[in-house]
Amino acid sequence: MKLFTQKLKQRYQLKDYRFSLVILVLAISIIGIFMVGSAQSSLQSRQILGVAAGFAAMVVISLIDYNWVLNMYWILYVVNLVLLVAVLLFGVNVNGATRWLNLGFIQFQPSDLTKIITILFYARFLSDREKKINDIRTIIQGIALILPSLLLIYKQPNLSNTICLAVLFCVLMYMGGLSYKIIGSILAVVVPVVVIVFIIVIQPNQPFLEQYQQNRILAWLEPEKYQSDEAYQQLNSIMAIGSGQLTGKGYNSTDTTSVKNGNFISEPQTDFIFAIIGEELGFVGCCAVIILLLLIVIDCILIGMRAKDTGGRIICGGVAALIGIQSFINISVATMLFPNTGISLPFVSYGLTSVVCFFMGIGFVLNVGLQPDKYNSKGEHTA
């Protein structure tokens, strides 16, 4: 233990610790605690526990050399697949979806951990193949390795996290150095295919989506037709955000016509937490949350720009992309820019697994920030 402490002192310096990022994350998490408490007061204490556990995990991870973790990237990959298979075999079914593992003392959602593991795995996978990233063999290997996770999450079914993970993978490949020509060629094929698939999935008896998933897309296209069913929550979410106007109705509003008190949105503490923010804190509160999330993304990118190697750069960019992608999807659903699909707002929505995993991601980013320069085997600066 003494030797480990000495190495930490030699390797890390307090001035390199990105306290600005820690403050931003704590600020958005505190907002999340209050908003979860307003949406469902009985869950506020658990959200506090999640933030406390996440903060502890972040601090510990920030002091562990990320390269040491990346050396175990194949172990992490296998553990991830084992957890996802276990969900399908032994998972807890809630509202027709099997996404949770109950270990007795804890119940968690492995798909949240999958996103962090994917970032770590491809940070090492792509850094090892940095000069061969544009070889067709490397691209095929990268796609083949992400497919099992995508299929297992899709089978839960969890379309929102499947989409989020797929987009995250594309960003990681881009950060690994994928050529613009290859990206352009892929887009030239993918975009028409997506359009064709979209046209197919809105047809009767289509084979790709569950009926409730198709109904959500149809409700997004024709909200008036489905306003009493699938479009009900999103329409109420938009009205709630609009009713908050500039400064909102006030925190923990007792207005009987509010979305939480009137039960106009089910589970407002998770997927539609942004509606509660808009209603109670208004335009100002919505902007504050978006700006905080944006600043966290920017801070992660800035740390990545100073990373000592490709692996560190991909970790920072991957975490930034994950926070940005998931925030964009959640807010787009709450404002009906996207069809209704359940995904949490980072650091804000209720959910211990989600909160802890995002803190873990920030912990790895902080560790990258603690190693901006190269060191020799004795822990001395070489630059």
Side-chain angles (χ1 to χ4, degrees):
M1 183 66 184
K2 183 178 180 181
L3 179 61
F4 177 71
T5 305
Q6 288 175 345
K7 287 185 176 181
L8 283 180
K9 289 180 179 178
Q10 291 175 352
R11 194 175 184 93
Y12 306 138
Q13 297 184 26
L14 190 62
K15 66 181 180 64
D16 291 325
Y17 208 87
R18 196 78 170 202
F19 287 104
S20 61
L21 180 57
V22 176
I23 292 171
L24 288 170
V25 169
L26 285 177
I28 192 71
S29 298
I30 290 171
I31 291 175
I33 288 172
F34 279 106
M35 298 318 300
V36 168
S38 178
Q40 185 66 264
S41 59
S42 62
L43 298 176
Q44 188 173 45
S45 59
R46 288 182 58 81
Q47 186 74 356
I48 293 173
L49 176 63
V51 171
F55 181 80
M58 178 189 72
V59 173
V60 172
I61 290 173
S62 71
L63 300 177
I64 299 174
D65 189 343
Y66 67 89
N67 281 304
W68 178 77
V69 177
L70 295 187
N71 286 335
M72 300 184 292
Y73 73 121
W74 281 113
I75 296 176
L76 292 174
Y77 182 83
V78 173
V79 168
N80 171 57
L81 293 185
V82 169
L83 289 174
L84 292 178
V85 170
V87 170
L88 295 182
L89 296 177
F90 315 109
V92 178
N93 188 293
V94 179
N95 297 326
T98 305
R99 303 174 183 176
W100 301 85
L101 271 182
N102 192 334
L103 303 180
F105 62 95
I106 187 173
Q107 181 170 296
F108 73 103
Q109 188 172 349
S111 59
D112 285 324
L113 185 60
T114 294
K115 289 174 277 191
I116 301 300
I117 291 178
T118 297
I119 292 171
L120 297 175
F121 177 81
Y122 280 97
R124 177 60 185 270
F125 177 85
L126 294 173
S127 61
D128 284 351
R129 296 159 179 79
E130 191 170 2
K131 296 181 180 179
K132 299 185 293 182
I133 181 63
N134 292 306
D135 291 350
I136 188 64
R137 181 179 178 181
T138 302
I139 297 172
I140 292 174
Q141 286 176 342
I143 295 173
L145 288 167
I146 194 64
L147 282 178
S149 294
L150 291 174
L151 292 173
L152 288 169
I153 293 174
Y154 176 77
K155 289 291 291 183
Q156 293 179 359
N158 194 340
L159 183 59
S160 56
N161 271 319
T162 304
I163 294 172
C164 182
L165 184 63
V167 175
L168 176 62
F169 166 73
C170 294
V171 173
L172 292 173
M173 292 293 286
Y174 169 74
M175 289 190 298
L178 196 62
S179 168
Y180 287 105
K181 293 181 179 179
I182 295 177
I183 294 173
S185 300
I186 294 173
L187 288 176
V189 176
V190 170
V191 172
V193 169
V194 169
V195 173
I196 293 171
V197 170
F198 183 80
I199 293 173
I200 293 174
V201 298
I202 61 176
Q203 304 301 319
N205 301 318
Q206 52 78 35
F208 299 110
L209 300 179
E210 299 287 341
Q211 187 60 49
Y212 77 91
Q213 293 173 330
Q214 184 191 45
N215 288 344
R216 287 179 175 182
I217 295 176
L218 293 172
W220 174 61
L221 294 172
E222 301 178 89
E224 295 81 9
K225 183 178 179 181
Y226 294 84
Q227 61 182 338
S228 61
D229 298 304
E230 281 78 10
Y232 181 74
Q233 292 198 91
Q234 283 186 290
L235 290 173
N236 286 333
S237 174
I238 292 174
M239 287 190 287
I241 294 171
S243 69
Q245 299 185 29
L246 182 63
T247 57
K249 298 178 180 178
Y251 173 69
N252 205 11
S253 171
T254 57
D255 189 342
T256 56
T257 61
S258 68
V259 292
K260 60 170 187 176
N261 296 323
N263 292 321
F264 299 123
I265 293 178
S266 62
E267 308 295 334
Q269 72 277 6
T270 53
D271 305 339
F272 286 93
I273 192 73
F274 195 74
I276 304 299
I277 295 171
E279 184 176 57
E280 297 191 352
L281 305 182
F283 179 76
V284 173
C286 290
C287 286
V289 169
I290 293 172
I291 290 171
L292 281 173
L293 290 168
L294 179 61
L295 289 175
I296 291 172
V297 169
I298 292 173
D299 224 0
C300 290
I301 294 172
L302 292 176
I303 294 173
M305 291 173 65
R306 297 178 62 246
K308 68 177 184 177
D309 54 28
T310 301
R313 176 169 56 83
I314 292 177
I315 286 175
C316 293
V319 173
L322 175 59
I323 294 171
I325 293 166
Q326 199 155 320
S327 298
F328 181 72
I329 293 175
N330 178 277
I331 294 173
S332 294
V333 169
T335 54
M336 214 168 185
L337 294 175
F338 284 177
N340 189 0
T341 178
I343 198 166
S344 63
L345 185 62
F347 303 106
V348 181
S349 293
Y350 171 74
L352 273 66
T353 310
S354 175
V355 170
V356 171
C357 286
F358 275 112
F359 268 102
M360 288 171 62
I362 295 297
F364 284 110
V365 172
L366 289 171
N367 184 259
V368 174
L370 283 172
Q371 304 182 57
D373 303 315
K374 293 184 180 296
Y375 293 83
N376 61 25
S377 60
K378 295 182 179 179
E380 300 170 341
H381 284 279
T382 59

